[in-house]
């Protein structure tokens, strides 16, 4: 009986452990990145399984890719919901890594691993900026038999137009002995449209195979391509070019590639390259600027050639990078944190575009997505700054430089930092709030504080003060502004502008104080000792006063004049990260203890006014904790949100 009880007890514990492991393994991102290069070349799966829905642009509009596999004459869907009368090959898993998204499928005697490889290696700007993704088919037999396998991939004209009614034209050419298919809009309205809910309608989409063995390809209407593949595993022998330019009336125009091979005991790996050459990426103060990878005159042919030549090396480097980073993330924050961070890695890079200025200087622009479409927004690259400080500080400098150059133009007449540089893709001057005309709806304390904090963070990450000294008079002007206005902010917006104007904002005051401390440290690093001492004294005095003004028993208030309120004080992170030590450690401890009593199922609210929150600030707040248990307490609900949210957006 004792033995039986022990065995039963062991079996129960083992079953519980396996169940918990299975639950941990079932991560369902709201949107899975497939092609995530920049705000235009951006394709996602917003479904549980890759074949449950059309693939989509981040805005939700169809940017369809179709993937089929034919096994011993029977066709299965693996990507996209068309054709609907074709059964899917069952998907068994999906994993999102920093440079790869990996889907696993199994059935009909084979295993398929479909990998979307985007070698976004942040220290290699030539590769990271290259708008090319590899779609890799790794097929192996699971039943010990040999199988005839044929794969099908198509990319629709939707990837090259803003709306499906725009006319397109397609073509092909030979490169290094292989076919390359190309499609783009007929009109080519380069950089004409500005705004948020837009897709690119200039430049060209390219699709090319890894080699010519067993390959057929065509630029045709999608129904014709799919029917030919289902009939004989190959594509039509000629392109349907006589009807160009065409819109969708005859069926969506697609670039399609089919590949044939046999698979048995030895796995087979084949890939296609999908790339987008936008020719010109942005308008920067009335000048059209090239993407970084094009700065020395390269074009699509060079990009595709390098992509093919470097594939094996980039695949190996990307895997090594993913393994190292995911291991570090798990070690520091656990599995759930690692998964959120991996999604954030892809999303962060996909929200930016790296371009070359006229003199070859790198400029890096973020876009406000699901917002007003602003470009180069300071309180957008402020929350993403830790990413670039860790992976490549040169990219943070490339974000800050356009704002600093704009700030020393005569056009910017205010004593505080700008909010933005315009509306994507035109970086021609601030559009938000009062723009360049007045101070209405500006974020003076917010943006000035952000820039001063980031100036010190960048100096520490780069090991020198070169950037800060280049723009020293401007940073000094902003420090003086915060000295005058930062302790008790007037009724104004902060980065959380959706919450509206707020006076006497405690968290905003903390930002100003950290910024003054950062400027004091910069003064010290640049040999300005007397200025350093003076600003340090001011920051310390302000820190004592803000704690007095905001004290509310077991926490600190949302605003000085609002007892019984509270808010996340995420700006405190810089006190620790930059070693400023302006606030006693007990301040963060008190706040964390209070936040734990305010948690909701899907995260910590931003403040007491509403139930909404922001994942970036939750993770910043989590870094204020001093134990892994407390850290997990904030990460867990955020992970639950990502895993369960019915809102399927990146």
């Amino acid at each position: 009986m004792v033995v039986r009880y022990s065995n039963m007890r062991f079996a129960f514990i083992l079953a519980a452990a396996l169940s918990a492991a299975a639950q941990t393994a079932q991560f369902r991102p709201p949107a899975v990145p497939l092609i995530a290069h920049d705000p235009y070349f951006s394709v996602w799966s917003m479904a549980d399984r890759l074949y449950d829905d059309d693939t989509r642009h981040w805005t939700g509009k169809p940017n369809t890719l179709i993937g089929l596999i034919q096994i011993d004459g029977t066709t299965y869907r693996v990507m996209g919901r068309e054709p609907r009368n074709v059964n899917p090959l069952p998907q068994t898993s999906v994993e999102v890594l920093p440079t790869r998204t990996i889907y696993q499928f199994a059935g009909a005697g084979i295993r398929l691993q479909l990998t979307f490889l985007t070698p976004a290696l942040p220290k290699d700007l030539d590769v990271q900026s290259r708008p090319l993704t590899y779609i890799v088919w790794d097929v192996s037999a699971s039943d010990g038999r040999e199988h005839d396998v044929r794969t099908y991939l198509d990319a629709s004209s939707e990837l090259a137009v803003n709306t499906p009614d725009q006319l397109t034209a397609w073509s092909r050419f030979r490169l290094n002995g292989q076919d390359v298919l190309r499609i783009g809009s007929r009109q080519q309205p380069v950089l004409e449209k500005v705004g948020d809910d837009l897709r690119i309608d200039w430049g060209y989409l390219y699709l090319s195979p890894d080699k010519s063995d067993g390959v057929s390809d065509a630029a045709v209407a999608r129904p014709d391509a799919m029917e030919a593949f289902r009939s004989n595993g190959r594509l039509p022998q000629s392109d349907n070019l006589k009807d160009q330019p065409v819109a969708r009336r005859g069926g969506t125009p697609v670039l399609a590639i089919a590949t044939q091979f046999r698979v048995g005991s030895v796995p087979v790996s084949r890939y296609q390259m999908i790339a987008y050459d936008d020719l010109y990426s942005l308008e920067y103060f009335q000048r059209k600027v090239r993407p970084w990878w094009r700065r020395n005159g390269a074009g699509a042919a060079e990009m595709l050639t390098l992509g093919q030549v470097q594939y094996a090396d980039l695949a190996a480097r990307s895997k090594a990078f993913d393994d190292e980073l995911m291991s570090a993330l798990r070690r520091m924050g656990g599995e759930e944190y690692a998964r959120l961070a991996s999604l954030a890695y892809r999303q962060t890079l996909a929200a930016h575009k790296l371009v070359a200025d006229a003199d070859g200087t790198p400029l890096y622009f973020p876009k406000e997505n699901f917002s007003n479409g602003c470009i180069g927004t300071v309180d957008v690259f402020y929350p993403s700054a830790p990413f670039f400080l860790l992976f490549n500080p040169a990219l943070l400098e490339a974000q800050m430089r356009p704002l600093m150059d704009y700030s020393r133009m005569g056009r910017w007449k205010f004593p505080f930092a700008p909010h933005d540089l315009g509306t994507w893709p035109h970086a021609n001057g601030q559009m938000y709030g009062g723009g360049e005309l007045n101070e209405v709806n500006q974020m003076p304390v917010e943006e000035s504080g952000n820039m001063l904090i980031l100036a010190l963070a960048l100096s520490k990450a780069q090991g020198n003060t070169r950037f800060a000294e280049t723009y020293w008079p401007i940073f000094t002007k902003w420090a003086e502004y915060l000295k005058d206005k930062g302790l008790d902010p007037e009724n104004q917006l902060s980065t959380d502008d959706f919450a509206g104007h707020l006076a006497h904002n405690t968290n905003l005051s903390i930002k100003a104080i950290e910024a003054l401390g950062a400027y004091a440290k910069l003064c010290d690093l640049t040999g300005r000792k007397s200025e350093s001492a003076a600003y340090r004294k001011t920051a310390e005095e302000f820190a004592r006063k803000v704690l007095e003004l905001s004290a509310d028993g077991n926490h600190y208030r949302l605003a000085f004049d609002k007892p019984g309120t509270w808010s996340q004080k995420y700006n405190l992170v810089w006190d620790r990260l930059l070693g400023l030590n302006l606030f006693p450690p007990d301040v963060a401890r008190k706040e964390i203890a209070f936040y734990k009593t305010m948690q909701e199922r899907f995260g910590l609210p931003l403040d007491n006014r509403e139930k909404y929150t922001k994942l970036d600030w939750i993770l910043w707040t989590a870094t204020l904790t001093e134990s892994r248990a407390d850290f997990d307490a904030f990460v867990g609900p955020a992970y639950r949100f990502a895993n369960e949210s019915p809102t399927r957006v990146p």
Side-chain angles (χ1 to χ4, degrees):
M1 291 294 294
V2 173
V3 172
R4 179 178 296 176
Y5 175 77
S6 297
N7 288 341
M8 290 175 63
R9 184 165 178 259
F10 173 76
F12 176 80
I13 293 171
L14 179 61
L18 291 173
S19 175
Q23 290 175 7
T24 301
Q26 294 172 2
F27 180 44
R28 185 235 60 176
V32 179
L34 307 178
I35 298 170
H37 285 277
D38 58 52
Y40 286 132
F41 195 30
S42 183
V43 183
W44 303 72
S45 173
M46 301 175 184
D48 290 357
R49 293 173 292 270
L50 187 56
Y51 45 69
D52 283 347
D53 189 24
D54 293 333
T55 61
R56 299 179 181 276
H57 187 257
W58 66 262
T59 56
K61 300 297 192 301
N63 262 195
T64 53
L65 305 171
I66 296 292
L68 306 174
I69 188 167
Q70 198 174 91
I71 306 166
D72 300 324
T74 301
T75 303
Y76 302 87
R77 281 186 296 119
V78 294
M79 177 165 53
R81 57 181 177 178
E82 301 292 342
R84 301 200 183 195
N85 60 349
V86 170
N87 292 325
L89 188 69
Q91 177 184 315
T92 58
S93 69
V94 60
E95 183 180 20
V96 178
L97 298 169
T99 68
R100 295 171 295 155
T101 293
I102 303 173
Y103 284 93
Q104 303 282 356
F105 304 84
I110 67 102
R111 284 184 292 266
L112 166 65
Q113 178 174 289
L114 189 62
T115 301
F116 297 82
L117 166 62
T118 302
L121 303 169
K123 290 190 182 301
D124 189 337
L125 296 187
D126 287 338
V127 171
Q128 189 256 311
S129 67
R130 188 185 299 163
L132 186 155
T133 287
Y134 303 91
I135 300 178
V136 187
W137 306 71
D138 290 303
V139 186
S140 61
S142 60
D143 57 3
R145 299 170 52 202
E146 275 205 352
H147 298 277
D148 178 72
V149 174
R150 307 181 184 210
T151 66
Y152 169 97
L153 173 72
D154 80 36
S156 79
S157 60
E158 296 159 335
L159 276 74
V161 292
N162 179 44
T163 57
D165 60 337
Q166 290 180 274
L167 299 178
T168 56
W170 63 88
S171 60
R172 68 166 60 234
F173 61 93
R174 298 283 288 176
L175 179 66
N176 304 321
Q178 293 182 206
D179 287 343
V180 175
L181 304 176
R182 184 181 91 158
I183 195 166
S185 70
R186 169 80 182 279
Q187 187 180 11
Q188 290 292 305
V190 179
L191 296 167
E192 285 187 7
K193 299 177 180 68
V194 298
D196 186 38
D197 186 8
L198 293 174
R199 288 138 301 279
I200 196 166
D201 57 4
W202 72 91
Y204 296 94
L205 176 74
Y206 293 85
L207 189 65
S208 179
D210 54 351
K211 53 187 176 182
S212 56
D213 295 354
V215 168
S216 61
D217 51 56
V220 294
R222 177 170 278 157
D224 297 338
M226 290 194 298
E227 180 57 34
F229 179 77
R230 292 177 65 187
S231 297
N232 58 30
R234 295 184 63 81
L235 295 173
Q237 294 184 357
S238 63
D239 299 329
N240 183 12
L241 298 179
K242 59 183 173 55
D243 296 327
Q244 57 177 333
V246 301
R248 295 178 59 115
R249 288 185 295 275
T252 303
V254 298
L255 310 178
I257 292 177
T259 307
Q260 177 183 0
F261 50 87
R262 292 194 65 78
V263 63
S265 57
V266 179
V268 174
S269 182
R270 299 295 296 268
Y271 69 84
Q272 293 91 39
M273 295 182 291
I274 185 168
Y276 205 100
D277 180 7
D278 59 9
L279 307 176
Y280 291 95
S281 300
L282 302 168
E283 186 174 291
Y284 181 51
F285 292 107
Q286 283 71 50
R287 290 185 289 107
K288 293 178 181 178
V289 292
R290 297 283 194 184
W292 178 257
W293 67 273
R294 249 184 174 274
R295 71 194 182 282
N296 294 322
E302 290 84 355
M303 172 172 60
L304 292 168
T305 298
L306 281 174
Q308 188 174 48
V309 170
Q310 297 177 354
Y311 167 70
D313 177 63
L314 291 176
R317 288 170 60 192
S318 295
K319 183 180 185 305
F321 180 82
D322 289 349
D323 290 346
E324 180 182 9
L325 179 54
M326 293 302 289
S327 176
L329 291 168
R330 292 184 180 110
R331 184 172 64 253
M332 298 302 293
E335 182 65 32
E336 293 181 350
Y337 171 71
R339 289 172 172 177
L340 287 177
S342 185
L343 276 177
Y345 186 99
R346 302 287 284 278
Q347 293 165 334
T348 299
L349 291 175
H352 291 79
K353 187 70 175 184
L354 183 64
V355 301
D357 204 354
D359 62 355
T361 300
L363 304 175
Y364 200 42
F365 292 92
K367 177 182 181 292
E368 289 197 46
N369 293 329
F370 291 125
S371 183
N372 62 358
C374 275
I375 185 172
T377 304
V378 176
D379 60 286
V380 167
F381 64 72
Y382 172 72
S384 71
F387 179 98
F388 298 106
L389 289 165
L390 174 64
F391 291 113
N392 189 348
L395 288 173
L396 177 58
E397 178 179 329
Q399 289 175 307
M400 296 176 69
R401 184 176 297 280
L403 262 293
M404 299 308 298
D405 287 340
Y406 176 49
S407 298
R408 63 181 178 184
M409 291 181 184
R411 291 171 52 179
W412 187 253
K413 58 189 177 184
F414 304 111
F416 50 80
H419 168 272
D420 64 84
L421 280 172
T423 304
W424 190 278
H426 292 178
N428 293 328
Q430 178 166 313
M431 297 296 294
Y432 187 85
E436 298 177 353
L437 300 178
N438 56 59
E439 298 188 25
V440 175
N441 292 333
Q442 301 272 17
M443 297 185 188
V445 172
E446 172 73 37
E447 310 301 23
S448 301
N450 291 340
M451 293 300 286
L452 284 167
I453 290 169
L454 295 183
L456 175 60
L458 181 64
S459 294
K460 291 175 74 72
Q462 293 183 323
N464 63 72
T465 58
R466 172 186 49 80
F467 184 81
E469 290 187 89
T470 300
Y471 301 99
W472 193 261
I474 301 172
F475 285 125
T476 300
K477 179 170 63 175
W478 295 342
E480 283 294 301
Y481 180 84
L482 292 181
K483 185 177 177 182
D484 183 41
K485 301 286 190 178
L487 171 60
D488 188 5
E490 298 165 344
N491 192 38
Q492 61 189 255
L493 296 170
S494 71
T495 182
D496 307 312
D497 54 355
F498 51 86
H501 291 70
L502 182 67
H504 321 299
N505 185 332
T506 303
N507 191 45
L508 191 57
S509 178
I510 290 172
K511 174 171 287 182
I513 293 165
E514 298 289 352
L516 288 168
Y519 182 73
K521 185 65 174 176
L522 283 170
C523 288
D524 181 62
L525 293 173
T526 57
R528 297 170 170 88
K529 301 300 182 181
S530 60
E531 293 96 326
S532 174
Y535 275 98
R536 176 71 190 187
K537 181 179 179 181
T538 298
E540 290 173 346
E541 291 174 353
F542 281 10
R544 286 191 293 270
K545 288 180 181 177
V546 76
L547 295 181
E548 294 172 2
L549 291 167
S550 63
D552 206 67
N554 61 350
H555 68 281
Y556 296 92
R557 299 173 181 176
L558 164 68
F560 304 155
D561 60 341
K562 296 185 182 298
T565 63
W566 66 275
S567 64
Q568 291 190 50
K569 309 301 191 300
Y570 51 82
N571 287 315
L572 278 172
V573 296
W574 299 108
D575 211 47
R576 181 182 299 176
L577 293 177
L578 298 179
L580 298 176
N581 301 317
L582 291 164
F583 293 89
D586 186 59
V587 174
R589 293 181 189 131
K590 182 185 289 189
E591 286 287 289
I592 290 297
F594 180 79
Y595 298 157
K596 288 164 65 177
T597 69
M598 296 290 109
Q599 286 267 61
E600 299 288 344
R601 175 170 173 78
F602 296 109
L604 177 67
L606 185 65
D607 55 51
N608 61 273
R609 291 174 290 181
E610 300 286 350
K611 294 296 186 184
Y612 54 56
T613 191
K614 293 182 76 229
L615 295 182
D616 49 4
W617 301 146
I618 289 176
L619 271 293
W620 282 40
T621 292
T623 68
L624 294 171
T625 61
E626 295 178 305
S627 73
R628 177 64 179 275
D630 282 348
F631 182 82
D632 291 346
F634 293 102
V635 171
Y639 177 84
R640 185 181 299 122
F641 161 75
N643 203 39
E644 299 179 17
S645 171
T647 305
R648 307 304 292 266
V649 297

